[in-house]
Amino acid sequence: MKAGVVHCRCSKCYSVPARKRVRKRTPGLSLLSLPEEIVLYVLQCLSAEDLLSVRAVHSQLRDVVDNHSSVWARVSFRDTWPSPSTLWLFERAAEKGNFEAAVKLGIAYLYNEGPLLSDEGRADVCGRKASHFFSLAESLRSPTADPFIWVFIRPPWSPTGSCCKAVVFDRLKAECDDNVEKRGPLLHCLARVLQLFEEDERRSDAVSLLEESSQAGCLQSSYLLWEHRRKAAMADPGRFLQCVRTLRDYAGKGCWEAQLSLAKVCISGNPLGLEAKACSDLVSQLFTSSSPASPHAAQNILRRGIKDTMRYILVDWLVEVTTMKDFSSLTLHVTVSCVDRYLALRSVPKARLQLLGIACMVVCTRYISKEILTIREAVWLTDNTYKYEDLVRMMGEVVSVLRGRIRNPSLLDYGEVLLALVPLERRSSHLFSYICELSLLYSALASPPPARLACAALLLTRALHHHAPLWPTLLADHTGFSKEDLVPLCVLLYVNCFSQDVPKDHRHVCLTGVKQRFEDENFQQISREKVMDFKELCQILEVPEVEPQVELQVEPPSPTGQPTDLHTFLASPSSTSKRRRDDSMQTHRGSFVATPTAELSNQEETLLGEILDWSLDTSCSGYEGDQEESEEEKDGDASMTSINLQPLSSADQRLENCRAQSSDEDSFCEADGKVKDDQGQENLTFSTDLHSSGYSSVQSVSPSSSSSLMPCTFQTLSSSPGSSNQPGFRLLVPMQRPRGSKQVKRKNVAAHSGGEVEEERSANAGFLSL
């Protein structure tokens, strides 16, 4: 193209391609581009496995994780247990201040569950490791928190001399001399352990340790010393006055046990010489400052997939265990409190809900009772649904999630203050205790503060027994609650405990564990007393007769006639409906928990003469014995069954006996040997007892039942006729046809016998100002 020639810029005369416009892309946000504070917050919410994965992505993330101990201190080890491959990860997090890692490592080394150590010198090595991590976990808690590690090393100890608990005790005692900062809580734990021995010398040593711990600043040790010296000080009025003033100081520092004791002292005689108004204000401050153990506990539990009926069945079973083992009512209340607080923070699969309940009871009995529930006995109570190591690991989960706070002010604690203020006759007192235990069954009653619920239970007790006046001025002044404040909760309490139909388990058996417990003569059979109707109660309370609608939240019934979640939770169908045994059931067997029951087909009922209605599909439960039989069932799919009756040999009878062991490695109690002997005499029998928990693991069998039984083997028609040992289900069939109901059940021969909420500074200010 010549110079100076104007062109038209067409494609012929101007062939230079036009420059394309490239839009600049805005840089995308990534984890690395965020501020370091936000990155730290994100990393602290990860689990341990996810944190390692993120750490390996980029060198900058690796530097952030390695250089900030707060990431390791708050990383989650949920559903993770120390193992040889993850031991270094737990130890690193524990040294950086992770409470959960320290607790799980201490329990893992104490019970030798996780780390693989040789038997030679195992007690000494595990003891040294466990003491280190227990001490580390105790140092990571608040100075005012109640020390807890003594629960795991308390007696009984092994008499052989190679007890890991004794090694931990000696190592903690040596650490108290070397580490001054940890002396207070550790000395308190050592003193609590020595108090449980029978020897006077050890008990005197416990008092000396409590004094040293109190001087080191442990508030709980100071309160225990006050209780120890209280009886001696009551003889001298001057000493008793000084003793009460000391108690007031402990209450002002936030010790809730001291606050309850101070309220009782002020009610009994007002030794401080306060005016009536000041004394009532002090006691009412205790009630009005009460907070629920876990705010919105009921909503959180339902949100995590635990229905009201499931919780009801679990608590009813815990009541049966409490009655059978003759534990106190306080142990039951604290156990249910631990279950609710855990469920409010963590979700639990339905198949492990019973494991959570029995693990909480094991921990609480060690904290409250002198007689403990051993781990092996707890496994036996679940009918060996879970293993020893499952229970040990769940104990670690519970203690770590609750941050070591096992005991909280319960309904019974406030009830003692109320009964000290307005004593009741013996029968009314039993009714009050009965209502308190009934309230444990319903998750709707877990949300109100325990002090308010105790006042409502007392109001309902006085109304049912026609006390006048219904809510005296003395109660209104000392609790801070008027009658109008308590009436809605009182009505809700009545509707839940007395007006609603009792839930039934998968066998259509009413769950009445609390009612059976209070049918004992020790409680004057208060549960058999006829309760007034709702209309009469409303007239006494002077409220309109409008019954609140309170229903157990369950899913719509399934084709089998049972709620779907309840079916999965209990792993057994209804006794009146028929269920197909298809391949889809094989995939869900791992999540089933409960005693197996089922029914026969029409053809099988005809062949058996309608003498039994029991499940062929025992593999649906979570019990190990059922799992063994389920392996044989997988070999063939039977469309039709035949029945082969053969005499029951002595070897077969021994196979039907309970195989569980009730001894514990950390116990040498006589009760363990007794349980073993009882198990050797138990035979599998059936009963028509219609009052039992949804879990059958507490149901023992009667050795006196001696009806003749014959094994009934169901086998497929396609199996070879010459086979002598054919797979199938062995079913014990009575020789005589039972009359009445066809529902069968093992007999219950249990003897019936009588997160963390911090203290508000404003609530404690009243105790300091008095």
Side-chain angles (χ1 to χ4, degrees):
M1 183 179 299
K2 296 182 180 180
V5 178
V6 179
H7 58 81
C8 63
R9 291 184 175 269
C10 62
S11 59
K12 295 182 178 179
C13 60
Y14 192 75
S15 59
V16 180
R19 182 176 297 179
K20 295 182 179 180
R21 293 182 180 180
V22 179
R23 294 183 179 179
K24 295 183 178 180
R25 296 182 180 179
T26 57
L29 292 179
S30 64
L31 188 61
L32 297 175
S33 62
L34 297 176
E36 186 174 345
E37 293 78 6
I38 300 180
V39 175
L40 288 175
Y41 184 80
V42 172
L43 295 178
Q44 290 171 0
C45 300
L46 298 178
S47 63
E49 297 179 357
D50 295 338
L51 182 64
L52 291 181
S53 301
V54 171
R55 182 179 177 273
V57 170
H58 197 274
S59 59
Q60 183 177 346
L61 293 175
R62 183 180 65 248
D63 295 338
V64 172
V65 171
D66 294 343
N67 297 331
H68 293 81
S69 59
S70 61
V71 177
W72 292 98
R74 298 188 60 180
V75 68
S76 174
F77 289 91
R78 178 178 179 177
D79 299 331
T80 308
W81 192 256
S83 63
S85 59
T86 61
L87 199 59
W88 67 274
L89 183 61
F90 276 86
E91 292 180 352
R92 181 172 185 177
E95 297 296 340
K96 294 291 185 179
N98 192 294
F99 178 80
E100 183 179 7
V103 169
K104 289 186 176 181
L105 280 173
I107 297 178
Y109 278 113
L110 181 66
Y111 293 100
N112 193 28
E113 177 52 44
L116 298 179
L117 299 176
S118 59
D119 294 336
E120 183 178 357
R122 180 179 62 84
D124 184 64
V125 175
C126 290
R128 286 189 287 107
K129 288 281 190 179
S131 64
H132 171 69
F133 290 109
F134 276 145
S135 174
L136 186 60
E138 199 65 70
S139 64
L140 296 175
R141 305 177 72 225
S142 172
T144 59
D146 190 6
F148 73 98
I149 61 175
W150 64 271
V151 172
F152 297 100
I153 61 174
R154 57 158 289 171
W157 289 353
S158 175
T160 60
S162 60
C163 181
C164 190
K165 294 181 180 180
V167 176
V168 174
F169 181 87
D170 295 336
R171 295 290 300 181
L172 291 177
K173 191 173 183 180
E175 188 173 354
C176 291
D177 301 333
D178 301 335
N179 195 334
V180 182
E181 298 179 356
K182 300 180 181 180
R183 282 178 59 85
L186 295 184
L187 288 174
H188 176 87
C189 293
L190 298 178
R192 294 294 296 267
V193 171
L194 293 179
Q195 283 181 335
L196 296 172
F197 286 97
E198 299 294 338
E199 295 84 354
D200 295 336
E201 182 180 358
R202 293 197 175 186
R203 292 189 174 183
S204 61
D205 293 340
V207 176
S208 302
L209 292 177
L210 285 177
E211 293 176 351
E212 296 181 18
S213 177
S214 178
Q215 295 175 0
C218 184
L219 184 60
Q220 283 70 27
S221 297
S222 301
Y223 175 73
L224 290 181
L225 278 177
W226 179 87
E227 282 190 336
H228 178 73
R229 297 168 179 171
R230 178 184 181 181
K231 293 183 179 180
M234 291 183 67
D236 187 359
R239 291 180 59 189
F240 183 67
L241 177 59
Q242 182 61 34
C243 185
V244 176
R245 289 174 177 173
T246 304
L247 179 64
R248 182 180 59 183
D249 295 338
Y250 297 155
K253 293 179 181 178
C255 181
W256 63 267
E257 295 98 333
Q259 294 174 3
L260 289 171
S261 299
L262 181 62
K264 295 176 185 178
V265 170
C266 292
I267 289 172
S268 60
N270 190 13
L272 293 175
L274 302 175
E275 296 181 357
K277 177 63 175 175
C279 186
S280 61
D281 289 344
L282 187 146
V283 179
S284 64
Q285 182 184 356
L286 173 68
F287 282 85
T288 55
S289 62
S290 172
S291 300
S294 179
H296 310 290
Q299 292 81 355
N300 292 340
I301 292 174
L302 291 175
R303 191 182 304 119
R304 297 181 187 279
I306 303 300
K307 303 297 181 181
D308 286 346
T309 308
M310 299 176 186
R311 183 186 176 278
Y312 189 104
I313 294 173
L314 174 64
V315 176
D316 188 87
W317 179 74
L318 292 175
V319 170
E320 290 192 4
V321 175
T322 303
T323 304
M324 186 181 68
K325 298 298 296 179
D326 200 16
F327 292 137
S328 64
S329 182
L330 179 61
T331 303
L332 176 63
H333 278 261
V334 176
T335 300
V336 177
S337 174
C338 289
V339 171
D340 288 339
R341 285 186 289 148
Y342 184 91
L343 290 177
L345 298 173
R346 291 278 180 91
S347 59
V348 178
K350 303 176 186 65
R352 296 175 64 85
L353 192 59
Q354 186 186 16
L355 178 62
L356 170 63
I358 198 64
C360 291
M361 178 158 284
V362 170
V363 174
C364 292
T365 54
R366 294 167 184 257
Y367 189 90
I368 297 174
S369 304
K370 190 172 183 179
E371 297 296 332
I372 67 173
L373 180 64
T374 63
I375 297 179
R376 295 195 183 278
E377 188 174 10
V379 172
W380 174 77
L381 285 172
T382 64
D383 209 359
N384 289 327
T385 304
Y386 311 101
K387 299 180 181 179
Y388 181 94
E389 53 270 21
D390 295 333
L391 186 53
V392 170
R393 297 183 180 188
M394 181 56 75
M395 290 169 57
E397 292 284 346
V398 170
V399 175
S400 60
V401 169
L402 300 183
R403 302 291 297 179
R405 185 165 184 172
I406 302 171
R407 179 86 154 86
N408 269 344
S410 66
L411 186 63
L412 296 184
D413 295 321
Y414 293 103
E416 291 179 359
V417 179
L418 292 173
L419 295 182
L421 184 64
V422 181
L424 298 175
E425 60 180 3
R426 185 183 177 191
R427 189 166 185 82
S428 298
S429 178
H430 291 328
L431 178 60
F432 176 75
S433 301
Y434 180 47
I435 294 175
C436 290
E437 289 204 10
L438 284 175
S439 66
L440 296 176
L441 296 169
Y442 302 94
S443 58
L445 299 175
S447 299
R452 192 183 188 93
L453 187 60
C455 293
L458 180 60
L459 177 62
L460 180 59
T461 301
R462 296 177 64 88
L464 294 179
H465 278 186
H466 303 280
H467 286 262
L470 198 58
W471 193 251
T473 307
L474 182 64
L475 284 173
D477 294 340
H478 284 77
T479 61
F481 300 122
S482 63
K483 173 189 169 184
E484 291 72 18
D485 297 334
L486 300 174
V487 163
L489 185 57
C490 178
V491 173
L492 180 64
L493 197 61
Y494 174 88
V495 171
N496 279 277
C497 298
F498 299 110
S499 180
Q500 282 190 334
D501 294 334
V502 178
K504 299 181 180 181
D505 65 356
H506 54 290
R507 294 158 300 193
H508 299 286
V509 177
C510 293
L511 304 176
T512 57
V514 178
K515 187 177 187 301
Q516 293 181 59
R517 176 178 171 85
F518 282 85
E519 287 178 353
D520 193 84
E521 290 292 342
N522 295 330
F523 300 103
Q524 296 183 336
Q525 299 181 349
I526 192 64
S527 61
R528 297 184 179 179
E529 181 179 275
K530 184 178 180 180
V531 182
M532 67 174 62
D533 57 11
F534 184 73
K535 180 179 180 180
E536 184 179 357
L537 177 67
C538 292
Q539 293 176 354
I540 294 177
L541 295 177
E542 299 177 352
V543 294
E545 187 180 351
V546 179
E547 184 173 348
Q549 298 295 328
V550 181
E551 298 180 357
L552 292 178
Q553 299 188 16
V554 294
E555 291 190 357
S558 64
T560 59
Q562 292 290 331
T564 54
D565 272 1
L566 185 61
H567 179 272
T568 307
F569 176 52
L570 296 173
S572 58
S574 115
S575 61
T576 59
S577 60
K578 307 305 174 184
R579 176 176 53 86
R580 294 182 180 180
R581 295 160 48 204
D582 51 11
D583 296 337
S584 62
M585 298 298 295
Q586 302 282 349
T587 60
H588 299 287
R589 286 177 177 173
S591 63
F592 288 155
V593 176
T595 301
T597 64
E599 57 274 17
L600 309 179
S601 64
N602 293 331
Q603 180 183 6
E604 293 159 354
E605 288 181 353
T606 304
L607 294 174
L608 288 177
E610 296 183 351
I611 59 176
L612 195 57
D613 190 1
W614 202 54
S615 176
L616 296 178
D617 195 3
T618 56
S619 60
C620 291
S621 75
Y623 299 120
E624 294 177 356
D626 300 336
Q627 294 174 359
E628 294 174 359
E629 293 182 350
S630 66
E631 297 297 330
E632 297 179 352
E633 183 190 4
K634 295 178 182 179
D635 296 337
D637 186 13
S639 59
M640 185 179 299
T641 59
S642 65
I643 304 172
N644 182 20
L645 299 178
Q646 27 182 321
L648 183 64
S649 63
S650 59
D652 294 330
Q653 292 178 352
R654 289 193 297 268
L655 290 177
E656 302 298 337
N657 295 336
C658 294
R659 298 177 298 170
Q661 299 295 330
S662 61
S663 61
D664 195 352
E665 291 180 354
D666 57 358
S667 174
F668 55 95
C669 302
E670 296 179 358
D672 293 346
K674 182 179 179 180
V675 173
K676 291 181 179 180
D677 296 337
D678 294 341
Q679 293 172 0
Q681 298 175 0
E682 292 178 349
N683 293 327
L684 185 61
T685 59
F686 301 101
S687 171
T688 57
D689 186 8
L690 297 181
H691 303 284
S692 171
S693 164
Y695 295 104
S696 66
S697 48
V698 233
Q699 312 304 323
S700 57
V701 292
S702 175
S704 61
S705 301
S706 58
S707 60
S708 58
L709 303 175
M710 296 183 64
C712 180
T713 303
F714 297 90
Q715 57 189 9
T716 61
L717 293 178
S718 58
S719 58
S720 58
S723 176
S724 59
N725 186 13
Q726 298 175 356
F729 294 90
R730 299 184 59 80
L731 184 64
L732 293 179
V733 179
M735 293 295 294
Q736 299 178 355
R737 171 178 294 189
R739 298 179 180 179
S741 174
K742 293 163 60 177
Q743 180 65 41
V744 293
K745 187 174 184 298
R746 285 181 285 181
K747 184 178 181 181
N748 182 7
V749 296
H752 301 293
S753 60
E756 179 175 354
V757 180
E758 299 181 353
E759 298 287 344
E760 298 289 344
R761 296 189 178 182
S762 60
N764 300 328
F767 295 99
L768 291 172
S769 61
L770 296 176

